[in-house]
Amino acid sequence: MSELPPPIKINPPLINSANPWASGDVDLERLYLCPSTGAVTTRTATLDGFKHDDAIHRYTFFDPSSPETSKSTNPTPQEASKAPAQKASLNTLGYSPYALIQYMQWIYKIYTTCSGTQPIKPFIISVTGTPTEVGECYTCIADYLSEYITAGHIYMEINLSCPNIPNKPPPAYSKDALVEYFRRLRFAMRDKLRPDLPRLPFGIKTPPYTHSSEYNELISALEEEGDQVSFITCTNTLGSCLVLSPEGDPVLPGNGIGGMAGAALHPLALGNVATIRRMLDERPSLKHITVIGIGGVEDEKGYKRMRAAGAGVVGVGTALGVKGVEVFEEIEKGLKGGW
């Protein structure tokens, strides 16, 4: 395929990331109805749902400049907002316990019940799995939500970067693994058994890269088989992080090791966005790819920094958990129309 893939169109260019505060139908509807979001991203789903264990899969907020942490794990935004200095997060979460079909049903319901109240906005359905499973996700979404894909309202994000899955390193660190996903998606797009399916724009979610060789793996894979990628979401949480209580005990279950996000990740996220944007622009076959910048954005200043680094769209994660959907209206108000 030499023709460019369909672009993503998100206005305003402000969204939520795939995170625990976008898990259920109430979360999604609240985000959809927020006037300051340009699109809504679902929590990452699998075909059959992730086996969530509440005793293991938890999150906490913390102050990057002190040992202060949430008084309990999994605090609500109402609880978290009482400690505004806790602008970073650590989690041992996996993926959503809800299967992909559940998200598609919720999205269809939101579109049919809310379409008359405001202009329709896109959904980014975040998925993961093996290359074969992701190919099945593509086909399922293209079939179930075909009318909305044709109208340009549905995109698929492939999360290849979660650091919390035992014995499964993030595929986005490996060229060979990425190429395998891209080839399987190319096969799904060319499925001769389903020529009726619309072309579903898709992108990948990358982990935080810290070395030039990791960026080179990504770009090499894109050049070889990824010319049909419409967007790259960067970045996911940083793995192998630990937050201790004042007594020296892990705040999260087990050894407490998890993925870090929020304010503490912001400089690294900016570096990833700037580097990936530059490397894409240096290659004519990849310049079309939009970069969605995520990591530590909590106000209009963070939004502006992310846009300056090269993000075409900006996502919010931890700050959504701390402030609730009001964070998007706060950012818009601070920008004063200067998207």
Side-chain angles (χ1 to χ4, degrees):
M1 293 184 181
S2 57
E3 63 184 53
L4 293 178
I8 60 171
K9 298 178 180 179
I10 297 174
N11 184 37
L14 181 62
I15 66 174
N16 66 292
S17 65
N19 60 53
W21 308 286
S23 294
D25 57 340
V26 174
D27 299 325
L28 298 179
E29 183 171 349
R30 186 180 296 121
L31 287 161
Y32 186 83
L33 293 176
C34 176
S36 302
T37 58
V40 177
T41 307
T42 70
R43 187 176 178 183
T44 301
T46 60
L47 284 170
D48 300 317
F50 180 79
K51 294 182 179 179
H52 176 85
D53 185 341
D54 203 48
I56 298 173
H57 302 115
R58 312 289 292 177
Y59 63 84
T60 188
F61 299 112
F62 67 95
D63 180 350
S65 63
S66 78
E68 180 187 0
T69 65
S70 305
K71 293 182 179 179
S72 62
T73 55
N74 288 26
T76 65
Q78 291 74 20
E79 295 170 327
S81 63
K82 297 177 182 178
Q86 296 177 9
K87 299 179 179 180
S89 64
L90 187 75
N91 81 79
T92 53
L93 298 168
Y95 305 117
S96 175
Y98 301 111
L100 173 61
I101 183 61
Q102 181 68 82
Y103 282 104
M104 294 191 295
Q105 291 171 345
W106 283 335
I107 290 169
Y108 188 85
K109 181 180 178 181
I110 289 173
Y111 276 152
T112 55
T113 59
C114 300
S115 59
T117 61
Q118 64 178 57
I120 194 167
K121 66 177 66 172
F123 271 94
I124 302 174
I125 303 176
S126 185
V127 303
T128 195
T130 65
T132 298
E133 290 167 345
V134 166
E136 291 180 32
C137 289
Y138 179 98
T139 301
C140 288
I141 295 171
D143 185 27
Y144 194 93
L145 296 170
S146 59
E147 62 183 294
Y148 296 107
I149 295 171
T150 302
H153 301 314
I154 299 292
Y155 313 134
M156 183 177 79
E157 174 190 89
I158 308 160
N159 186 345
L160 302 178
S161 50
C162 180
N164 294 336
I165 309 301
N167 304 315
K168 292 185 178 180
Y173 283 118
S174 164
K175 173 190 173 181
D176 291 342
L178 284 168
V179 166
E180 189 176 358
Y181 278 93
F182 295 152
R183 286 176 177 167
R184 185 61 185 80
L185 285 161
R186 191 179 293 274
F187 176 80
M189 287 186 288
R190 291 174 169 173
D191 189 350
K192 295 181 180 179
L193 297 177
R194 295 302 309 272
D196 58 310
L197 294 181
R199 173 69 164 84
L200 171 62
F202 69 86
I204 60 172
K205 187 173 187 178
T206 56
Y209 295 134
T210 60
H211 192 272
S212 61
S213 63
E214 295 169 341
Y215 292 106
N216 291 334
E217 291 281 299
L218 168 67
I219 297 299
S220 181
L222 288 168
E223 288 184 304
E224 183 171 327
E225 287 286 348
D227 62 325
Q228 290 304 298
V229 170
S230 294
F231 64 95
I232 296 174
T233 304
C234 62
T235 175
N236 207 330
T237 59
L238 179 65
S240 297
C241 294
L242 177 64
V243 173
L244 299 176
S245 69
E247 294 73 33
D249 300 316
V251 172
L252 294 178
N255 61 15
I257 301 292
M260 182 184 67
L265 186 65
H266 191 57
L268 181 56
L270 290 173
N272 271 244
V273 169
T275 302
I276 290 175
R277 181 70 270 164
R278 173 180 56 78
M279 296 181 79
L280 293 174
D281 287 342
E282 290 171 349
R283 294 158 174 83
S285 64
L286 303 179
K287 291 180 68 174
H288 66 274
I289 297 176
T290 297
V291 174
I292 300 177
I294 294 174
V297 174
E298 61 186 60
D299 53 27
E300 76 279 2
K301 295 178 181 178
Y303 172 93
K304 289 180 179 178
R305 287 191 293 269
M306 196 62 82
R307 292 280 277 172
V313 178
V314 177
V316 176
T318 295
L320 172 60
V322 173
K323 300 180 179 181
V325 295
E326 291 76 16
V327 66
F328 299 105
E329 297 176 42
E330 177 185 321
I331 291 173
E332 181 179 22
K333 183 177 180 181
L335 291 172
K336 299 179 181 178
W339 291 110

